[in-house]
Structures are given as structure tokens and as C-alpha cells.
């Protein structure tokens, strides 16, 4: 399956399994392209695959809402 076929198929079905195949075979370029064509944000695509890391957002919210300075998590 070519990248064009895979992206077209994902944009029609929005199946996470297809997105995972695109990510493994074509890397971040294919992943970003598939998300763009499907009309979703990369963050939503990462959430579909279960690889979204939101520690930066949590740190930002803690600082803004509570004035708490958090340590960098490792």
C-alpha cells in the first residue's frame, strides 16, 4: 500500500490501526500528512494511538492556575 492509498483510506475511515501502520512505515512525515488530510490535529492522532505525552501541558496549567513551579519530570 502506498502512502497516498493509506492516507486516503485513513481519511475516510479514521481507523487507528491504519494510522499506526502509516506511522511505522512512513514515520513522522506520513503521520503528520495523514492527520492533516483527515482534518485532525496531530495531538488527536497521537491520542488515538495512545502515545500522547501531556506533561508539558500539565506543567503549564499548574504554573498558571496555582503558581506552583513543578520540577522537570524525567
Amino acid at each position: 500500500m502506498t502512502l497516498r492509498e493509506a492516507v486516503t483510506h485513513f481519511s475516510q475511515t479514521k481507523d487507528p490501526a491504519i494510522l499506526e501502520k502509516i506511522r511505522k512505515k512512513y514515520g513522522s512525515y506520513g503521520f503528520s500528512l495523514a492527520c492533516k488530510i483527515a482534518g485532525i490535529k496531530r495531538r488527536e492522532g497521537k491520542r488515538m494511538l495512545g502515545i500522547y505525552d501531556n506533561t508539558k501541558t500539565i506543567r503549564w496549567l499548574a504554573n498558571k492556575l496555582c503558581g506552583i513551579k513543578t520540577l522537570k519530570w524525567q
Side-chain angles (χ1 to χ4, degrees):
M1 183 183 294
T2 64
L3 178 59
R4 181 183 297 253
E5 293 170 350
V7 168
T8 304
H9 190 56
F10 174 70
S11 68
Q12 293 170 350
T13 62
K14 292 193 172 101
D15 183 20
I18 297 170
L19 186 59
E20 179 67 27
K21 288 178 185 177
I22 292 171
R23 188 177 145 274
K24 284 186 178 181
K25 189 169 182 181
Y26 297 104
S28 63
Y29 174 75
F31 177 80
S32 296
L33 186 65
C35 290
K36 186 174 184 176
I37 299 294
I40 62 173
K41 295 181 180 180
R42 290 183 65 235
R43 176 177 57 225
E44 294 172 21
K46 287 181 178 184
R47 282 190 183 137
M48 288 173 74
L49 300 180
I51 58 174
Y52 181 69
D53 181 26
N54 59 358
T55 55
K56 185 176 179 182
T57 306
I58 292 170
R59 250 189 277 136
W60 178 79
L61 280 173
N63 189 17
K64 183 179 178 189
L65 298 176
C66 305
I68 298 172
K69 297 283 185 178
T70 57
L71 299 175
K72 288 188 178 182
W73 298 331
Q74 298 174 359

